[in-house]
Amino acid sequence: MKTKWNRYLTFVGCCLATMACLAQGGVDTRPHIFDSNVRSLKVCLTSNMYIPPVLMMDGDDRLIVNFDYLDYDVHYLRYSVTHCNANWQPSQLVESEYVSGFNYADIEDYAPSEATYVHYYNYQFLLPNADMEFLVSGNYLLSVYEQDDPDKILFQTRFSVCEGKVSVFPQVTSRTDIDYNNRYQQVSFDVRYRPNQIKDPYSEFTCVVTQNSREDNAVAVSRPMMVGVDHVTYEHDRNLIFPAGNEFRRFETVNAHNLNMGVQSIRYYQPMYHATLMIDEPRNEVQYLYDKTQYGRFTIRNGETRGESAVQADYMITHFTLDAGGKLNGGNVVLYGEFLQGYPASQVVMKYDASSGFYTSELLLKQGAYNYMYLWVPDGTTVGQTGKIEGDHYETINEYLVKVYDRPMGERYDRFVGYGVAYSGK
């Protein structure tokens, strides 16, 4: 009982801290890895790791959270969640209103790496589970921390739980309101529901559209163009015009003793492997070339073992090189891909090497297959641009996720009531 009381006091303290942050202008809920020993964070559905990780309430699917902690010794970890509104700020709900039981659970599924030069423990857990059931839909911020030090958060990440009360039908076209089969793609969508189910869609709905799971250029819209008895339509909204970008670049490090896709060399320099990727060049003036990708996602795999790659895949210092023709002024070149979820800016911003004239980056990555691209972020902004390095081609196949939130009058939180996924060019 004393332990639970201490945990309760800790929770109260966290709530007060959250309220203080809100009073100062909001809580930073962006995915973030605070401990550099945390690597290879992956949040996906058990049924399909290559689709957006949206969990349906009362569904059979579950969310799997998998990551490594680099150390020889095991760490005993715990997690908790915070319910958030459509803008990813904590809602007004208290814990007992959005999760069953206590809002914490220990991570009990972990195992040490096997025959690897870099030693780590692999952790994973499923949601929902016997310790944690979700009572309401919405956005959730997941925090993982040491059992004996709840104030030291190792990382935080996001996921969503959907009711499926409305149906969402998105479409994507390259015939936009600003150009025709050129550099942009435009999203439109219908939201359908039972007659009289939604009283005032003009004021109740908030819709968020993302391209390839990117958060930096996500768009929120709230005013539909047309409203019917059982549906609303969002179209010809210039906010829903996205630069088309280009297909993701790819590389594989599944085999430490043979060359893989996109890899120039793999060599062992004590105490670990180094994988040097092929030198990349800008594609902004190159004709579009289709390449089937996973829309920025990655897969952990060691192709030389028959066991579990989760514990038998080794880590390699992976060397990225971009020949941009010299230094680009007025901004930064940034690496983007799911494998960089939560990484600090110091690791995703490419460094310019004046001696070689190249942009370079060195990241400790686990063996696997990766999607990535280079974004240009102008000074004073936080939105990455594809056009300067990757180019924008209307033929590019992008994944667009449309999430619909409903907040009727008098409600205290944003309900996540439906979503739809569309792919450009399909």
Side-chain angles (χ1 to χ4, degrees), residues 407-418:
R407 188 163 189 168
M409 182 178 295
E411 190 62 80
R412 295 165 47 233
Y413 71 98
D414 293 332
R415 297 168 51 197
F416 181 19
V417 293

Side-chain angles (χ1 to χ4, degrees), residues 38-42 66-68 298 300 315 343 366 370:
V38 174
R39 300 281 169 164
S40 305
L41 173 61
K42 179 86 171 180
N66 189 294
F67 64 95
D68 294 335
F298 74 99
I300 296 301
Y315 275 84
Y343 272 49
K366 201 172 184 180
Y370 291 83

Side-chain angles (χ1 to χ4, degrees), residues 73-144:
D73 299 321
V74 64
H75 289 246
Y76 299 102
L77 306 180
R78 180 172 292 164
Y79 61 90
S80 60
V81 297
T82 301
H83 187 267
C84 297
N85 287 317
N87 62 355
W88 285 102
Q89 286 299 296
S91 68
Q92 298 179 13
L93 301 182
V94 297
E95 285 187 317
S96 60
E97 293 180 287
Y98 61 83
V99 290
S100 60
F102 288 98
N103 183 15
Y104 62 84
D106 296 336
I107 304 177
E108 299 176 341
D109 187 355
Y110 53 85
S113 59
E114 300 174 5
T116 58
Y117 287 106
V118 177
H119 297 274
Y120 60 87
Y121 271 80
N122 177 257
Y123 295 80
Q124 72 172 13
F125 58 95
L126 300 174
L127 291 171
N129 53 50
D131 296 316
M132 187 173 292
E133 296 276 351
F134 303 111
L135 304 179
V136 299
S137 66
N139 293 329
Y140 284 84
L141 179 69
L142 171 72
S143 300
V144 173

Side-chain angles (χ1 to χ4, degrees), residues 74-378:
V74 64
H75 289 246
Y76 299 102
L77 306 180
R78 180 172 292 164
Y79 61 90
S80 60
V81 297
T82 301
H83 187 267
C84 297
N85 287 317
N87 62 355
W88 285 102
Q89 286 299 296
S91 68
Q92 298 179 13
L93 301 182
V94 297
E95 285 187 317
S96 60
E97 293 180 287
Y98 61 83
V99 290
S100 60
F102 288 98
N103 183 15
Y104 62 84
D106 296 336
I107 304 177
E108 299 176 341
D109 187 355
Y110 53 85
S113 59
E114 300 174 5
T116 58
Y117 287 106
V118 177
H119 297 274
Y120 60 87
Y121 271 80
N122 177 257
Y123 295 80
Q124 72 172 13
F125 58 95
L126 300 174
L127 291 171
N129 53 50
D131 296 316
M132 187 173 292
E133 296 276 351
F134 303 111
L135 304 179
V136 299
S137 66
N139 293 329
Y140 284 84
L141 179 69
L142 171 72
S143 300
V144 173
Y145 48 89
E146 300 269 5
Q147 289 184 14
D148 57 356
D149 190 2
D151 294 328
K152 182 185 177 183
I153 298 178
L154 302 183
F155 69 86
Q156 64 184 30
T157 188
R158 296 171 169 180
F159 67 93
S160 300
V161 178
C162 181
E163 295 179 19
K165 298 296 185 183
V166 304
S167 299
V168 184
F169 301 95
Q171 294 182 325
V172 187
T173 180
S174 57
R175 302 171 182 178
T176 75
D177 291 344
I178 61 175
D179 71 353
Y180 184 92
N181 287 352
N182 191 2
R183 299 179 57 242
Y184 295 91
Q185 296 171 347
Q186 187 161 357
V187 178
S188 60
F189 56 95
D190 287 337
V191 181
R192 297 189 174 274
Y193 43 83
R194 298 191 308 274
N196 302 317
Q197 180 183 355
I198 306 297
K199 294 182 179 180
D200 185 6
Y202 282 111
S203 63
E204 290 186 31
F205 279 162
T206 297
C207 305
V208 178
V209 182
T210 55
Q211 179 194 57
N212 299 324
S213 301
R214 286 175 56 183
E215 296 291 342
D216 62 312
N217 66 344
V219 174
V221 294
S222 58
R223 299 287 294 181
M225 182 178 182
M226 293 183 292
V227 176
V229 176
D230 60 353
H231 72 281
V232 293
T233 300
Y234 297 80
E235 62 182 3
H236 295 295
D237 188 332
R238 293 204 171 194
N239 293 317
L240 297 179
I241 299 177
F242 293 81
N246 208 336
E247 306 295 346
F248 280 86
R249 303 173 189 257
R250 295 191 291 160
F251 74 89
E252 293 185 357
T253 53
V254 299
N255 192 316
H257 301 96
N258 292 292
L259 292 184
N260 304 261
M261 177 190 300
V263 178
Q264 179 176 301
S265 67
I266 295 180
R267 293 187 175 90
Y268 178 79
Y269 299 103
Q270 193 173 5
M272 65 186 67
Y273 285 107
H274 285 248
T276 301
L277 305 186
M278 296 289 188
I279 296 177
D280 289 319
E281 295 182 350
R283 299 184 291 173
N284 57 326
E285 297 182 1
V286 178
Q287 185 177 0
Y288 169 79
L289 180 64
Y290 170 74
D291 185 21
K292 185 176 182 179
T293 68
Q294 286 75 47
Y295 314 105
R297 300 183 176 95
F298 74 99
T299 305
I300 296 301
R301 186 164 69 90
N302 182 346
E304 299 176 283
T305 66
R306 296 184 178 180
E308 286 289 332
S309 290
V311 294
Q312 294 185 352
D314 213 335
Y315 275 84
M316 301 180 179
I317 295 182
T318 307
H319 300 260
F320 294 81
T321 305
L322 172 67
D323 181 3
K327 184 174 176 56
L328 304 176
N329 298 315
N332 291 302
V333 178
V334 174
L335 270 172
Y336 171 73
E338 181 196 31
F339 68 100
L340 294 167
Q341 177 188 192
Y343 272 49
S346 60
Q347 296 190 47
V348 299
V349 176
M350 302 284 288
K351 298 179 177 62
Y352 181 71
D353 181 5
S355 62
S356 65
F358 297 156
Y359 282 89
T360 63
S361 181
E362 299 177 356
L363 296 174
L364 185 63
L365 301 178
K366 201 172 184 180
Q367 285 181 274
Y370 291 83
N371 282 194
Y372 71 105
M373 68 168 51
Y374 298 101
L375 299 177
W376 172 253
V377 182

Side-chain angles (χ1 to χ4, degrees), residues 51-63:
I51 61 175
V54 176
L55 193 64
M56 297 299 297
M57 291 192 70
D58 303 322
D60 296 329
D61 213 346
R62 289 196 288 177
L63 201 74

